[in-house]
Amino acid sequence: MPAQTLAQKLLAAASGRAAVRVGEILTCKVDLAMFHDSSGPRRLKPMLEELGTGLWDRSKVVLVMDHYVPEADDESRRIVRIARDWAREQALPHVYDSMGICHVVVPEHGHIRPGMFCVGGDSHSPTGGAFGAYMFGVGSTEMLGVVASGEIWMRVPDTLMMRWNGRLAAGLTAKDMMLHMIGRFGMNGGRYQAIEFCGEAVRALSMQERMTLSNMSAELGAQAGLVAPDDTTAQYLRQAGAADFDVTPWQSDADAQAQWHEFDATALEPQVAAPHSPANAAPVHAYGNTPVQVAYIGACTGAKLDDLRAAARVLRGRRIAAGVSLMVAPASQRDQAAAEAEGVLPALLQAGATLLPTTCGACSGYGGSIPEDVNVVSTTARNFKGRMGAASARVYLASPYTVAASALAGRIADPREVLA
């Protein structure tokens, strides 16, 4: 049997094959279909009714209400009502209403396990790849085919191996790793290939940090962002209540064909991406004199428990600068409760933060949206013009450490200076 990458092994399993070749077209059976209030029922319900068909397997569907909650206007109420009514009509067993962001809530409830083949109705669905599953985002028409048939066709992609050697220094995170890679390769750097993150630095990351890597493979233009599962994966999944998984088969063969890129984690500096693209990334000192009026700690790439802990390490016992608004929107209710119990959330609030709901919020331009004509330093994944609400806002992307340090300084700042 030819040597296979992790991506090839996952697609082979999904298509009932022993091995697959790059470029082959496959029909894959779907283990999980995830969508949210924005991408799901309001679009799928009328199309399914027109087809006259139902869901292929309700137990493999997960619905999350995270974009339009809490409902701020009549349109939001309409969209969320459609989702809730449809969930009841279909008797869906896996519905998470206002419990957090889908890319965090779904894995923390043990739905994604090594070896699975999953699709999501959101561009950041590659998050699932952190668990050794093949997961990617699809549009509503493709999702219609999935929920009606349980299958989808795939072209086997090339694999890019991103190997990070060494260990990250204090004050650096997976977000810095991703911004550096996006700055180096651009937003089409993955060309809809599969990316696998590997090396000592990746192995040293927590699961939540690995989720950030896989999530932002979308910003690299990749279809999937994978991390081979290990003991860290297994421990997280056991705590999440997942059963029936095995991490051992899901590793790339040493001699599998792939394109390799090497990185030195020990030399990495905190990264900042300037408006209006994540590809505008550079070391933090390139933007050190940029004043900020808003600091935002939120989204699936910047407000998980590990992210909140990082921000608290910078802010504990200090106050944010005058004239700066610091907004914190935890990624899930579970992470918010843990942050409260650990004293992390109190430290952020005592520093002057305002607590927002555990939803997508300002990341996608909804609740707690950003005002006009301000500089924002944010833990979100994207800084496109108007993405966070006001078209005139200028959004700089950074890690939770850097966002917290910038809130203290009133300008974009190097968190290592505070931590030292």
Side-chain angles (χ1 to χ4, degrees):
M1 188 170 65
Q4 302 275 280
T5 64
L6 173 56
Q8 288 174 296
K9 291 182 179 183
L10 291 166
L11 295 179
S15 59
R17 304 268 297 277
V20 296
R21 297 188 310 273
V22 171
E24 280 191 285
I25 305 298
L26 311 173
T27 298
C28 295
K29 293 188 178 298
V30 176
D31 296 309
L32 179 79
M34 181 276 293
F35 39 81
H36 47 60
D37 48 338
S38 180
S39 67
R42 66 169 174 152
R43 305 183 193 280
L44 294 174
K45 183 177 186 291
M47 293 192 291
L48 283 168
E49 290 172 349
E50 186 174 347
L51 283 178
T53 188
L55 301 177
W56 101 100
D57 188 337
R58 286 172 176 79
S59 69
K60 295 181 180 180
V61 171
V62 180
L63 170 62
V64 183
M65 268 72 99
D66 62 357
H67 273 60
Y68 286 93
V69 290
E71 305 94 298
D73 51 40
D74 288 342
E75 179 65 5
S76 298
R77 283 185 281 273
R78 182 187 73 84
I79 292 169
V80 175
R81 183 172 63 251
I82 290 171
R84 288 170 176 159
D85 290 347
W86 189 74
R88 283 192 295 270
E89 291 168 10
Q90 298 296 321
L92 295 183
H94 307 302
V95 179
Y96 300 99
D97 190 342
S98 307
M99 295 178 66
I101 302 169
C102 60
H103 310 299
V104 178
V105 170
V106 172
E108 76 180 12
H109 284 84
H111 289 291
I112 303 173
R113 302 178 300 280
M116 291 180 67
F117 179 84
C118 313
V119 298
D122 188 279
S123 59
H124 285 115
S125 296
T127 305
F131 296 88
Y134 201 99
M135 189 167 185
F136 59 103
V138 298
S140 297
T141 304
E142 287 178 297
M143 184 62 80
L144 172 65
V146 168
V147 299
S149 71
E151 297 180 341
I152 191 171
W153 70 269
M154 281 284 303
R155 178 186 180 275
V156 180
D158 293 305
T159 293
L160 301 182
M161 303 292 287
M162 304 295 197
R163 180 159 57 196
W164 282 83
N165 302 304
R167 297 285 187 103
L168 292 174
L172 284 103
T173 70
K175 185 65 167 289
D176 298 296
M177 297 165 72
M178 280 310 306
L179 291 178
H180 177 74
M181 286 184 280
I182 299 166
R184 175 170 164 180
F185 295 105
M187 291 197 69
N188 198 32
R191 298 183 297 281
Y192 296 98
Q193 294 163 313
I195 291 177
E196 183 174 340
F197 304 100
C198 59
E200 181 186 357
V202 174
R203 289 285 175 230
L205 295 175
S206 69
M207 276 312 306
Q208 290 196 336
E209 284 282 83
R210 295 179 188 186
M211 288 162 65
T212 295
L213 287 183
S214 294
N215 178 297
M216 290 189 68
S217 61
E219 276 63 55
L220 272 170
Q223 183 186 56
L226 305 170
V227 180
D230 58 11
D231 289 343
T232 299
T233 320
Q235 181 179 358
Y236 179 99
L237 289 173
R238 281 193 291 268
Q239 292 175 345
D244 302 322
F245 66 89
D246 183 5
V247 302
T248 53
W250 309 112
Q251 313 290 323
S252 288
D253 294 331
D255 52 346
Q257 185 175 359
Q259 181 180 340
W260 287 82
H261 298 283
E262 304 283 337
F263 303 88
D264 182 2
T266 64
L268 186 65
E269 299 180 66
Q271 301 287 300
V272 173
H276 291 283
S277 170
N280 294 336
V284 63
H285 58 75
Y287 305 107
N289 293 320
T290 304
V292 297
Q293 292 80 44
V294 176
Y296 186 80
I297 296 173
C300 45
T301 58
K304 300 183 289 295
L305 180 58
D306 284 352
D307 302 311
L308 300 176
R309 287 168 173 162
R313 289 188 193 108
V314 173
L315 291 170
R316 185 171 279 108
R318 300 180 173 94
R319 289 285 299 181
I320 61 175
V324 174
S325 172
L326 171 60
M327 296 185 283
V328 175
S332 74
Q333 288 191 359
R334 185 173 292 183
D335 280 350
Q336 178 172 323
E340 176 71 36
E342 291 182 12
V344 166
L345 192 58
L348 299 178
L349 298 177
Q350 289 162 15
T354 298
L355 184 64
L356 299 179
T358 56
T359 64
C360 294
C363 175
S364 48
Y366 300 122
S369 58
I370 303 303
E372 298 283 351
D373 197 31
V374 293
N375 288 342
V376 184
V377 60
S378 173
T379 62
T380 53
R382 293 174 180 162
N383 58 345
F384 303 149
K385 190 177 181 68
R387 163 84 180 183
M388 295 185 72
S392 60
R394 296 164 295 276
V395 180
Y396 295 79
L397 302 179
S399 77
Y401 282 117
T402 301
V403 170
S406 301
L408 285 178
R411 58 174 177 77
I412 291 177
D414 189 332
R416 295 173 298 180
E417 298 174 2
V418 181
L419 294 171

